Amino acid sequence: RVALGASRADVFRLVLGSGASTVVVGIVLGLLASAMTTQFLQGQLYDVEALDPGAITAAVLVLALVASAAHLLPIRRALRVDPTVALRDE
């Protein structure tokens, strides 16, 4: 993309957007699965309700932060690609 004229900001948004969409789908599916298994979760949790908003928010934030950190390496790699080398490699 850089070799074809895309700016570094465009490449950053492209790589981050593709990773973020996967994270959002995973979080939504996880929230749905946890909502469907509330009876089982209620017996497994100690002093926390199965649909405790604080615990769910904390879990979502931690997972989103870990996923964002995992995307930093591919973003850095994509931004450091030399356009002439990218055009030569197929």
Side-chain angles (χ1 to χ4, degrees), residues 39-61:
Q39 293 299 323
F40 173 74
L41 289 174
Q42 192 67 38
Q44 302 298 317
L45 299 172
Y46 175 73
D47 205 25
V48 178
E49 292 186 29
L51 294 177
D52 181 27
I56 291 173
T57 302
V60 167
L61 288 176

Side-chain angles (χ1 to χ4, degrees), residues 2-75:
V2 173
L4 297 175
S7 68
R8 294 197 182 276
D10 291 335
V11 173
F12 178 82
R13 273 185 253 127
L14 176 73
V15 176
L16 185 63
S18 67
S21 62
T22 304
V23 171
V24 168
V25 168
I27 288 174
V28 168
L29 289 176
L31 288 172
L32 289 173
S34 68
M36 291 188 305
T37 58
T38 56
Q39 293 299 323
F40 173 74
L41 289 174
Q42 192 67 38
Q44 302 298 317
L45 299 172
Y46 175 73
D47 205 25
V48 178
E49 292 186 29
L51 294 177
D52 181 27
I56 291 173
T57 302
V60 167
L61 288 176
V62 167
L63 291 174
L65 286 173
V66 169
S68 297
H71 287 103
L72 287 178
L73 184 62
I75 289 172

